[in-house]
Amino acid sequence: MSHRASLLGRGYQDNHLDSPRVRFRRALLLCLMTVLVPGSGHIAVGKRAVGWFAVTLWLAALGGGGYVLWKYRTDRAEVLGWFTDTDVLMLARAGIVAVAVLWGILFLDAWRLASPFRLNFMRAALITVLNLAIIGGVAGSTAYASQLIKVSRDTVKVVFKATKTSEPLKGRYNILLLGSDARADRTGIRPDSMTVASIDADTGKVVLISLPRNLQNVPFSKGSPMLKVYPYGYNCGPTCLLNAVHTAAQNRTDLYPGSKDPGLDATIDAIQGVTKLKINYYVMVNLNGFKGLVNAVGGVTMDVKTRIAMFGHDDAWKNKYIEIGKQKLNGQQALWYARSRVQSDDYTRMGRQKCLMAAMADQLSPQKVLLNATKIAKSGKELLSTNIPAKELGQFADLALKSRGEKIRTVSVVPPEFNTVTPDFPAIQAAIQKAIDKSESTVKSTKKPKDDSGRAANQTDDLNAVC
Protein backbone atom coordinates (compact mmCIF):
# COMPACT_ATOMS: atom_id res chain seq x y z
CA MET A 1 0.00 0.00 0.00
CA SER A 2 1.43 3.41 -0.98
CA HIS A 3 1.99 6.23 1.55
CA ARG A 4 -0.93 8.19 0.14
CA ALA A 5 -3.12 5.14 0.33
CA SER A 6 -2.17 4.58 3.95
CA LEU A 7 -3.16 8.19 4.73
CA LEU A 8 -6.34 8.45 2.72
CA GLY A 9 -7.51 4.87 2.29
CA ARG A 10 -6.81 2.18 -0.25
CA GLY A 11 -9.36 3.50 -2.70
CA TYR A 12 -8.30 7.19 -2.81
CA GLN A 13 -8.06 6.74 -6.60
CA ASP A 14 -10.11 3.55 -7.00
CA ASN A 15 -13.33 5.10 -5.76
CA HIS A 16 -15.34 1.98 -6.53
CA LEU A 17 -13.31 0.08 -3.88
CA ASP A 18 -13.98 2.67 -1.15
CA SER A 19 -16.25 1.82 1.72
CA PRO A 20 -18.44 4.67 3.08
CA ARG A 21 -16.28 4.73 6.22
CA VAL A 22 -13.05 5.10 4.21
CA ARG A 23 -14.51 7.88 2.06
CA PHE A 24 -15.69 9.70 5.18
CA ARG A 25 -12.28 9.29 6.85
CA ARG A 26 -10.57 10.59 3.72
CA ALA A 27 -12.83 13.65 3.63
CA LEU A 28 -12.10 14.49 7.29
CA LEU A 29 -8.37 13.98 6.78
CA LEU A 30 -8.31 16.25 3.73
CA CYS A 31 -10.02 18.95 5.76
CA LEU A 32 -7.60 18.55 8.70
CA MET A 33 -4.52 18.59 6.48
CA THR A 34 -5.73 21.74 4.72
CA VAL A 35 -6.15 23.43 8.11
CA LEU A 36 -2.72 22.43 9.48
CA VAL A 37 -0.59 22.67 6.33
CA PRO A 38 -2.45 24.25 3.41
CA GLY A 39 -1.81 22.21 0.26
CA SER A 40 -0.64 19.02 2.00
CA GLY A 41 -4.00 17.33 1.41
CA HIS A 42 -3.80 18.12 -2.30
CA ILE A 43 -0.33 16.57 -2.50
CA ALA A 44 -1.61 13.44 -0.76
CA VAL A 45 -4.33 12.89 -3.37
CA GLY A 46 -2.03 13.56 -6.30
CA LYS A 47 -2.80 17.24 -7.00
CA ARG A 48 0.88 18.08 -6.77
CA ALA A 49 1.02 21.38 -8.67
CA VAL A 50 -1.62 23.04 -6.52
CA GLY A 51 -0.43 21.34 -3.36
CA TRP A 52 3.23 22.21 -3.62
CA PHE A 53 2.42 25.80 -4.60
CA ALA A 54 0.34 26.22 -1.43
CA VAL A 55 2.84 24.39 0.80
CA THR A 56 5.71 26.49 -0.56
CA LEU A 57 3.84 29.72 0.20
CA TRP A 58 2.94 28.43 3.68
CA LEU A 59 6.54 27.43 4.49
CA ALA A 60 7.83 30.74 3.09
CA ALA A 61 5.41 32.65 5.34
CA LEU A 62 6.46 30.63 8.41
CA GLY A 63 10.14 31.01 7.57
CA GLY A 64 9.79 34.74 6.97
CA GLY A 65 7.89 35.20 10.22
CA GLY A 66 10.47 33.18 12.13
CA TYR A 67 13.31 35.21 10.65
CA VAL A 68 11.64 38.50 11.55
CA LEU A 69 11.00 37.33 15.14
CA TRP A 70 14.63 36.26 15.48
CA LYS A 71 16.08 39.42 13.94
CA TYR A 72 13.94 41.85 15.97
CA ARG A 73 13.67 39.75 19.16
CA THR A 74 15.46 42.45 21.17
CA ASP A 75 13.92 45.49 19.46
CA ARG A 76 10.37 45.64 20.77
CA ALA A 77 10.01 49.33 19.92
CA GLU A 78 10.67 48.63 16.23
CA VAL A 79 8.11 45.81 16.16
CA LEU A 80 5.50 47.93 17.96
CA GLY A 81 6.19 50.69 15.47
CA TRP A 82 5.02 48.46 12.62
CA PHE A 83 1.53 48.43 14.12
CA THR A 84 1.30 52.21 13.66
CA ASP A 85 3.09 52.49 10.31
CA THR A 86 0.42 53.33 7.73
CA ASP A 87 2.33 51.68 4.88
CA VAL A 88 2.87 48.48 6.87
CA LEU A 89 -0.78 48.46 7.90
CA MET A 90 -1.90 48.82 4.29
CA LEU A 91 0.34 45.94 3.17
CA ALA A 92 -0.84 43.82 6.11
CA ARG A 93 -4.47 44.43 5.20
CA ALA A 94 -3.89 43.42 1.58
CA GLY A 95 -1.86 40.41 2.70
CA ILE A 96 -4.40 38.91 5.07
CA VAL A 97 -7.18 39.32 2.49
CA ALA A 98 -5.06 37.54 -0.14
CA VAL A 99 -4.19 34.72 2.28
CA ALA A 100 -7.84 34.30 3.29
CA VAL A 101 -9.01 34.12 -0.33
CA LEU A 102 -6.37 31.53 -1.30
CA TRP A 103 -7.04 29.47 1.82
CA GLY A 104 -10.77 29.55 1.15
CA ILE A 105 -10.21 28.30 -2.40
CA LEU A 106 -8.09 25.42 -1.03
CA PHE A 107 -10.88 24.44 1.38
CA LEU A 108 -13.46 24.45 -1.40
CA ASP A 109 -11.22 22.31 -3.57
CA ALA A 110 -10.50 19.95 -0.68
CA TRP A 111 -14.25 19.58 -0.18
CA ARG A 112 -14.63 18.78 -3.89
CA LEU A 113 -11.85 16.19 -3.77
CA ALA A 114 -13.53 14.54 -0.80
CA SER A 115 -16.46 13.61 -3.11
CA PRO A 116 -19.12 14.51 -0.54
CA PHE A 117 -21.95 13.53 -2.88
CA ARG A 118 -20.78 9.90 -2.74
CA LEU A 119 -21.31 9.86 1.03
CA ASN A 120 -24.59 9.26 2.77
CA PHE A 121 -26.63 12.32 3.66
CA MET A 122 -25.48 12.67 7.29
CA ARG A 123 -21.79 12.30 6.50
CA ALA A 124 -22.02 14.57 3.47
CA ALA A 125 -23.83 17.17 5.57
CA LEU A 126 -21.22 16.94 8.34
CA ILE A 127 -18.30 17.37 5.93
CA THR A 128 -20.04 20.26 4.16
CA VAL A 129 -20.96 22.03 7.40
CA LEU A 130 -17.42 21.55 8.76
CA ASN A 131 -15.84 23.06 5.66
CA LEU A 132 -18.32 25.92 5.58
CA ALA A 133 -17.67 26.61 9.26
CA ILE A 134 -13.91 26.76 8.66
CA ILE A 135 -14.34 28.98 5.61
CA GLY A 136 -16.76 31.19 7.52
CA GLY A 137 -14.35 31.45 10.43
CA VAL A 138 -11.50 32.43 8.16
CA ALA A 139 -13.68 34.94 6.31
CA GLY A 140 -15.07 36.45 9.53
CA SER A 141 -11.66 36.73 11.16
CA THR A 142 -10.27 38.30 8.01
CA ALA A 143 -13.11 40.82 7.83
CA TYR A 144 -12.63 41.79 11.47
CA ALA A 145 -8.85 42.09 11.13
CA SER A 146 -9.21 44.09 7.92
CA GLN A 147 -11.65 46.51 9.53
CA LEU A 148 -9.45 46.83 12.61
CA ILE A 149 -6.42 47.64 10.48
CA LYS A 150 -8.43 50.16 8.44
CA VAL A 151 -9.70 51.99 11.53
CA SER A 152 -6.25 51.97 13.14
CA ARG A 153 -4.62 53.25 9.96
CA ASP A 154 -7.21 56.01 9.58
CA THR A 155 -6.71 57.04 13.20
CA VAL A 156 -2.93 57.20 12.84
CA LYS A 157 -3.29 59.31 9.69
CA VAL A 158 -5.77 61.72 11.32
CA VAL A 159 -4.35 62.02 14.86
CA PHE A 160 -0.62 61.39 14.46
CA LYS A 161 -0.04 63.31 11.26
CA ALA A 162 2.91 65.36 12.55
CA THR A 163 6.31 64.56 11.06
CA LYS A 164 8.81 66.53 13.18
CA THR A 165 10.50 64.51 15.90
CA SER A 166 11.98 65.83 19.17
CA GLU A 167 14.96 64.21 20.87
CA PRO A 168 14.93 63.61 24.64
CA LEU A 169 16.78 66.15 26.78
CA LYS A 170 19.02 64.73 29.53
CA GLY A 171 17.59 61.29 28.81
CA ARG A 172 13.94 62.27 29.31
CA TYR A 173 10.89 62.90 27.19
CA ASN A 174 8.59 65.60 28.57
CA ILE A 175 5.06 65.36 27.23
CA LEU A 176 2.50 68.03 28.07
CA LEU A 177 -0.98 66.61 28.71
CA LEU A 178 -3.69 69.22 28.33
CA GLY A 179 -7.34 68.78 29.16
CA SER A 180 -9.38 70.87 26.75
CA ASP A 181 -12.52 72.44 28.20
CA ALA A 182 -13.65 74.19 25.00
CA ARG A 183 -17.39 74.80 24.79
CA ALA A 184 -19.69 76.96 22.69
CA ASP A 185 -20.26 79.36 25.62
CA ARG A 186 -16.54 79.93 26.23
CA THR A 187 -13.88 82.02 24.52
CA GLY A 188 -10.82 80.00 23.56
CA ILE A 189 -9.77 76.55 24.67
CA ARG A 190 -8.86 77.45 28.28
CA PRO A 191 -7.05 74.23 29.25
CA ASP A 192 -8.82 72.70 32.24
CA SER A 193 -5.84 70.62 33.39
CA MET A 194 -2.12 70.81 32.64
CA THR A 195 0.24 67.97 33.49
CA VAL A 196 3.76 67.26 32.26
CA ALA A 197 4.60 63.56 32.05
CA SER A 198 8.39 63.39 32.35
CA ILE A 199 9.45 59.95 31.09
CA ASP A 200 12.86 58.31 31.38
CA ALA A 201 13.84 57.45 27.81
CA ASP A 202 15.49 54.19 28.91
CA THR A 203 13.34 52.79 31.72
CA GLY A 204 9.95 54.39 31.06
CA LYS A 205 9.70 55.61 34.69
CA VAL A 206 7.27 58.51 34.94
CA VAL A 207 7.09 61.68 37.01
CA LEU A 208 3.82 63.60 36.75
CA ILE A 209 4.09 67.38 37.25
CA SER A 210 0.76 69.17 37.56
CA LEU A 211 0.21 72.88 37.27
CA PRO A 212 -3.01 74.49 38.52
CA ARG A 213 -5.01 76.51 36.05
CA ASN A 214 -5.07 79.48 38.49
CA LEU A 215 -1.28 79.84 38.71
CA GLN A 216 -0.37 83.54 38.43
CA ASN A 217 2.64 85.55 37.26
CA VAL A 218 3.97 82.67 35.18
CA PRO A 219 7.26 83.33 33.37
CA PHE A 220 7.85 82.44 29.72
CA SER A 221 10.81 80.36 28.59
CA LYS A 222 13.93 81.95 27.13
CA GLY A 223 13.37 82.99 23.53
CA SER A 224 9.57 82.95 23.77
CA PRO A 225 7.82 85.57 21.60
CA MET A 226 5.56 86.27 24.60
CA LEU A 227 8.48 87.96 26.34
CA LYS A 228 8.00 90.88 23.96
CA VAL A 229 4.58 91.49 25.51
CA TYR A 230 5.20 90.20 29.06
CA PRO A 231 8.93 90.59 29.79
CA TYR A 232 8.32 90.08 33.51
CA GLY A 233 5.90 87.18 33.19
CA TYR A 234 2.15 86.98 32.70
CA ASN A 235 1.51 89.54 35.44
CA CYS A 236 -1.41 91.62 34.18
CA GLY A 237 -3.65 91.04 37.22
CA PRO A 238 -5.78 88.39 38.97
CA THR A 239 -7.45 87.30 35.72
CA CYS A 240 -4.11 86.54 34.03
CA LEU A 241 -3.97 82.90 35.07
CA LEU A 242 -1.99 80.10 33.46
CA ASN A 243 -5.04 78.68 31.68
CA ALA A 244 -5.77 82.12 30.19
CA VAL A 245 -2.45 82.25 28.30
CA HIS A 246 -4.02 80.33 25.44
CA THR A 247 -6.82 82.85 25.06
CA ALA A 248 -4.43 85.80 25.31
CA ALA A 249 -2.23 84.49 22.49
CA GLN A 250 -4.68 82.57 20.31
CA ASN A 251 -4.80 85.31 17.64
CA ARG A 252 -1.19 86.48 17.95
CA THR A 253 0.09 85.28 14.59
CA ASP A 254 2.38 88.30 14.70
CA LEU A 255 4.22 86.63 17.59
CA TYR A 256 3.98 83.08 16.23
CA PRO A 257 4.01 83.41 12.43
CA GLY A 258 3.09 80.22 10.66
CA SER A 259 1.73 78.62 13.83
CA LYS A 260 -1.53 76.68 13.59
CA ASP A 261 -2.27 77.44 17.25
CA PRO A 262 -0.39 80.43 18.73
CA GLY A 263 -2.28 80.04 22.00
CA LEU A 264 -1.00 76.49 22.43
CA ASP A 265 2.55 77.52 21.59
CA ALA A 266 2.36 80.32 24.17
CA THR A 267 0.99 77.89 26.78
CA ILE A 268 3.91 75.54 26.12
CA ASP A 269 6.34 78.47 26.50
CA ALA A 270 4.72 79.33 29.85
CA ILE A 271 4.90 75.76 31.15
CA GLN A 272 8.54 75.50 30.07
CA GLY A 273 9.18 78.75 31.93
CA VAL A 274 7.54 77.43 35.12
CA THR A 275 9.15 73.97 35.10
CA LYS A 276 12.48 74.60 33.31
CA LEU A 277 11.72 71.43 31.32
CA LYS A 278 11.87 71.25 27.54
CA ILE A 279 8.49 70.07 26.25
CA ASN A 280 9.04 67.50 23.51
CA TYR A 281 5.41 66.93 22.57
CA TYR A 282 1.90 67.79 23.65
CA VAL A 283 -1.29 65.76 23.81
CA MET A 284 -4.56 67.71 23.93
CA VAL A 285 -7.32 65.59 25.45
CA ASN A 286 -10.92 66.55 24.76
CA LEU A 287 -12.42 65.97 28.20
CA ASN A 288 -15.89 65.37 26.81
CA GLY A 289 -14.43 62.88 24.33
CA PHE A 290 -12.55 61.17 27.17
CA LYS A 291 -15.68 59.36 28.28
CA GLY A 292 -15.76 57.61 24.89
CA LEU A 293 -12.34 56.08 25.59
CA VAL A 294 -13.41 54.86 29.03
CA ASN A 295 -16.55 53.30 27.58
CA ALA A 296 -14.49 51.74 24.78
CA VAL A 297 -12.42 49.73 27.26
CA GLY A 298 -15.40 48.74 29.40
CA GLY A 299 -14.92 51.25 32.22
CA VAL A 300 -12.20 51.96 34.77
CA THR A 301 -12.10 50.73 38.37
CA MET A 302 -11.35 53.38 41.00
CA ASP A 303 -11.09 53.36 44.78
CA VAL A 304 -13.30 56.38 45.49
CA LYS A 305 -12.12 58.07 48.69
CA THR A 306 -14.90 60.63 49.11
CA ARG A 307 -18.42 61.02 47.77
CA ILE A 308 -18.19 62.89 44.46
CA ALA A 309 -20.98 65.05 43.10
CA MET A 310 -22.07 64.42 39.50
CA PHE A 311 -23.48 67.91 39.04
CA GLY A 312 -22.34 71.52 38.90
CA HIS A 313 -23.07 74.47 41.15
CA ASP A 314 -26.08 75.44 39.04
CA ASP A 315 -27.81 72.05 38.94
CA ALA A 316 -27.51 70.74 42.50
CA TRP A 317 -31.09 69.50 42.25
CA LYS A 318 -29.76 66.47 40.36
CA ASN A 319 -28.42 65.12 43.66
CA LYS A 320 -26.41 62.38 41.94
CA TYR A 321 -23.13 61.08 43.36
CA ILE A 322 -20.32 58.58 42.88
CA GLU A 323 -20.31 56.75 46.17
CA ILE A 324 -17.33 55.87 48.37
CA GLY A 325 -15.59 52.55 47.78
CA LYS A 326 -14.23 50.54 44.89
CA GLN A 327 -16.35 51.42 41.87
CA LYS A 328 -16.22 50.56 38.18
CA LEU A 329 -16.84 53.90 36.50
CA ASN A 330 -18.32 54.31 33.05
CA GLY A 331 -17.24 57.17 30.79
CA GLN A 332 -19.68 59.72 32.23
CA GLN A 333 -18.78 58.85 35.81
CA ALA A 334 -15.04 58.92 35.06
CA LEU A 335 -15.44 62.39 33.55
CA TRP A 336 -17.18 63.64 36.71
CA TYR A 337 -14.56 61.92 38.88
CA ALA A 338 -11.89 63.94 37.06
CA ARG A 339 -13.73 67.25 36.86
CA SER A 340 -16.15 67.64 39.79
CA ARG A 341 -15.52 70.67 42.01
CA VAL A 342 -18.76 70.68 44.01
CA GLN A 343 -17.89 70.06 47.68
CA SER A 344 -14.27 70.00 46.48
CA ASP A 345 -11.66 72.33 44.96
CA ASP A 346 -9.20 72.56 42.08
CA TYR A 347 -6.35 71.00 44.04
CA THR A 348 -8.27 67.95 45.22
CA ARG A 349 -9.53 67.55 41.67
CA MET A 350 -5.94 67.59 40.40
CA GLY A 351 -5.16 64.70 42.74
CA ARG A 352 -8.12 62.70 41.43
CA GLN A 353 -7.03 63.35 37.86
CA LYS A 354 -3.63 61.81 38.59
CA CYS A 355 -5.29 58.77 40.17
CA LEU A 356 -7.47 58.37 37.10
CA MET A 357 -4.45 58.58 34.77
CA ALA A 358 -2.61 55.99 36.86
CA ALA A 359 -5.62 53.66 36.87
CA MET A 360 -6.05 53.92 33.10
CA ALA A 361 -2.35 53.23 32.53
CA ASP A 362 -2.46 50.23 34.88
CA GLN A 363 -5.72 48.73 33.61
CA LEU A 364 -5.16 49.22 29.88
CA SER A 365 -3.35 45.92 29.42
CA PRO A 366 -2.19 44.88 25.93
CA GLN A 367 -4.94 42.25 25.90
CA LYS A 368 -7.66 44.79 26.70
CA VAL A 369 -6.33 47.20 24.08
CA LEU A 370 -6.31 44.43 21.46
CA LEU A 371 -9.83 43.23 22.26
CA ASN A 372 -11.21 46.78 22.14
CA ALA A 373 -8.88 48.18 19.50
CA THR A 374 -11.60 49.21 17.06
CA LYS A 375 -13.55 51.17 19.69
CA ILE A 376 -10.37 52.74 21.05
CA ALA A 377 -9.24 53.79 17.59
CA LYS A 378 -12.61 55.35 16.82
CA SER A 379 -12.64 57.26 20.11
CA GLY A 380 -9.09 58.45 19.46
CA LYS A 381 -10.19 60.68 16.57
CA GLU A 382 -12.53 62.58 18.89
CA LEU A 383 -10.33 62.35 21.97
CA LEU A 384 -6.87 63.50 20.95
CA SER A 385 -4.94 66.10 19.09
CA THR A 386 -1.17 65.90 19.30
CA ASN A 387 2.11 66.68 17.61
CA ILE A 388 3.56 63.24 18.35
CA PRO A 389 4.51 61.80 14.94
CA ALA A 390 3.45 58.28 14.03
CA LYS A 391 7.07 57.17 13.75
CA GLU A 392 7.49 57.76 17.53
CA LEU A 393 4.53 55.62 18.60
CA GLY A 394 6.52 52.38 18.72
CA GLN A 395 9.06 53.99 21.04
CA PHE A 396 6.39 55.32 23.40
CA ALA A 397 4.44 52.04 23.36
CA ASP A 398 7.64 50.25 24.41
CA LEU A 399 8.22 52.78 27.20
CA ALA A 400 4.62 52.33 28.37
CA LEU A 401 5.15 48.58 28.65
CA LYS A 402 8.43 49.11 30.52
CA SER A 403 6.75 51.45 33.00
CA ARG A 404 4.00 48.99 33.98
CA GLY A 405 4.42 48.15 37.67
CA GLU A 406 6.86 51.02 38.27
CA LYS A 407 6.11 53.68 40.87
CA ILE A 408 4.79 56.98 39.55
CA ARG A 409 6.08 60.05 41.38
CA THR A 410 4.11 63.28 41.41
CA VAL A 411 4.76 66.97 41.99
CA SER A 412 1.93 69.49 42.02
CA VAL A 413 2.17 73.25 42.36
CA VAL A 414 -0.56 73.51 44.97
CA PRO A 415 -0.96 74.99 48.46
CA PRO A 416 0.30 74.67 51.12
CA GLU A 417 3.59 73.59 49.49
CA PHE A 418 3.46 76.40 46.94
CA ASN A 419 1.72 79.76 46.74
CA THR A 420 -0.19 80.07 43.47
CA VAL A 421 -0.58 83.88 43.59
CA THR A 422 3.07 84.81 44.15
CA PRO A 423 4.83 81.56 43.28
CA ASP A 424 8.44 80.83 44.19
CA PHE A 425 9.46 79.46 40.79
CA PRO A 426 13.03 78.43 41.77
CA ALA A 427 11.51 76.35 44.60
CA ILE A 428 9.02 74.80 42.17
CA GLN A 429 11.81 73.91 39.77
CA ALA A 430 13.92 72.44 42.58
CA ALA A 431 11.01 70.24 43.72
CA ILE A 432 10.53 68.99 40.15
CA GLN A 433 14.23 68.16 39.78
CA LYS A 434 14.23 66.39 43.15
CA ALA A 435 11.32 64.17 42.05
CA ILE A 436 13.09 63.36 38.78
CA ASP A 437 16.31 62.50 40.63
CA LYS A 438 14.36 60.19 42.96
CA SER A 439 12.68 58.53 40.00
CA GLU A 440 16.02 57.79 38.36
CA SER A 441 17.55 56.56 41.62
CA THR A 442 17.72 52.82 42.33
CA VAL A 443 17.27 53.42 46.07
CA LYS A 444 13.76 52.51 47.18
CA SER A 445 11.82 55.11 49.13
CA THR A 446 10.64 54.17 52.62
CA LYS A 447 8.34 57.16 52.96
CA LYS A 448 4.79 56.13 53.81
CA PRO A 449 2.18 57.98 51.76
CA LYS A 450 -0.49 59.80 53.69
CA ASP A 451 -4.05 59.43 52.49
CA ASP A 452 -5.99 62.68 52.85
CA SER A 453 -8.89 61.78 50.55
CA GLY A 454 -7.61 63.32 47.38
CA ARG A 455 -4.73 65.71 47.81
CA ALA A 456 -2.19 63.03 48.73
CA ALA A 457 -1.89 62.19 45.05
CA ASN A 458 -0.46 65.65 44.38
CA GLN A 459 2.86 65.07 46.18
CA THR A 460 3.89 61.44 46.44
CA ASP A 461 6.65 58.98 45.59
CA ASP A 462 4.10 56.25 44.77
CA LEU A 463 0.90 57.40 43.10
CA ASN A 464 -0.78 53.99 43.12
CA ALA A 465 -0.24 53.68 46.87
CA VAL A 466 -2.34 56.77 47.63
CA CYS A 467 -5.00 56.18 45.01
Side-chain angles (χ1 to χ4, degrees), residues 42-43 46-56:
H42 286 70
I43 294 173
K47 304 294 182 181
R48 294 178 178 275
V50 173
W52 278 115
F53 177 74
V55 168
T56 301

Side-chain angles (χ1 to χ4, degrees), residues 81-102:
W82 296 341
F83 290 92
T84 53
D85 186 305
T86 54
D87 293 332
V88 172
L89 290 174
M90 183 173 65
L91 289 174
R93 190 181 185 204
I96 64 171
V97 171
V99 168
V101 170
L102 291 174

Side-chain angles (χ1 to χ4, degrees), residues 264-327:
L264 177 59
D265 291 337
T267 300
I268 291 173
D269 287 348
I271 289 174
Q272 289 183 148
V274 172
T275 63
K276 288 296 183 188
L277 296 176
K278 171 195 171 185
I279 301 299
N280 296 92
Y281 301 109
Y282 76 87
V283 177
M284 180 81 75
V285 180
N286 182 329
L287 293 180
N288 286 313
F290 171 74
K291 60 186 177 185
L293 173 62
V294 176
N295 287 331
V297 298
V300 57
T301 300
M302 300 297 304
D303 185 5
V304 182
K305 305 292 186 181
T306 59
R307 201 177 187 217
I308 297 171
M310 290 183 64
F311 50 82
H313 293 286
D314 298 329
D315 52 4
W317 55 270
K318 291 183 179 179
N319 199 34
K320 190 174 181 180
Y321 295 86
I322 301 172
E323 299 297 338
I324 295 173
K326 189 164 284 189
Q327 308 279 356

Side-chain angles (χ1 to χ4, degrees), residues 141-162:
S141 300
T142 301
Y144 175 78
S146 177
Q147 177 63 16
L148 174 59
I149 292 173
K150 179 182 182 300
V151 172
S152 299
R153 184 170 182 268
D154 290 346
T155 301
V156 171
K157 289 176 68 176
V158 171
V159 178
F160 301 96
K161 55 190 176 184

Side-chain angles (χ1 to χ4, degrees), residues 12 94 203:
Y12 73 93
T203 66

Side-chain angles (χ1 to χ4, degrees), residues 80-250:
L80 290 170
W82 296 341
F83 290 92
T84 53
D85 186 305
T86 54
D87 293 332
V88 172
L89 290 174
M90 183 173 65
L91 289 174
R93 190 181 185 204
I96 64 171
V97 171
V99 168
V101 170
L102 291 174
W103 211 346
I105 292 172
L106 280 179
F107 276 118
L108 286 174
D109 200 42
W111 173 81
R112 178 186 65 81
L113 293 172
S115 303
F117 297 113
R118 298 186 65 245
L119 302 173
N120 63 40
F121 176 79
M122 289 300 296
R123 286 171 172 167
L126 179 60
I127 289 297
T128 301
V129 169
L130 179 61
N131 274 272
L132 288 175
I134 294 172
I135 293 171
V138 171
S141 300
T142 301
Y144 175 78
S146 177
Q147 177 63 16
L148 174 59
I149 292 173
K150 179 182 182 300
V151 172
S152 299
R153 184 170 182 268
D154 290 346
T155 301
V156 171
K157 289 176 68 176
V158 171
V159 178
F160 301 96
K161 55 190 176 184
T163 56
K164 185 179 178 181
T165 59
S166 178
E167 294 298 318
L169 182 65
K170 297 181 180 179
R172 302 191 74 82
Y173 287 105
N174 299 306
I175 302 177
L176 175 59
L177 309 176
L178 295 162
S180 168
D181 196 28
R183 294 202 304 259
D185 61 339
R186 288 189 168 186
T187 302
I189 288 180
R190 286 175 51 172
D192 196 54
S193 64
M194 288 157 282
T195 300
V196 178
S198 184
I199 306 168
D200 189 296
D202 293 320
T203 66
K205 290 182 179 180
V206 179
V207 177
L208 294 178
I209 303 135
S210 292
L211 306 176
R213 61 180 189 166
N214 63 335
L215 190 64
Q216 297 184 37
N217 300 300
V218 295
F220 293 97
S221 57
K222 184 178 180 180
S224 170
M226 290 294 281
L227 290 173
K228 297 177 182 178
V229 185
Y230 303 101
Y232 304 106
Y234 194 46
N235 59 353
C236 48
T239 61
C240 289
L241 310 177
L242 176 57
N243 78 327
V245 171
H246 190 286
T247 302
Q250 64 182 349

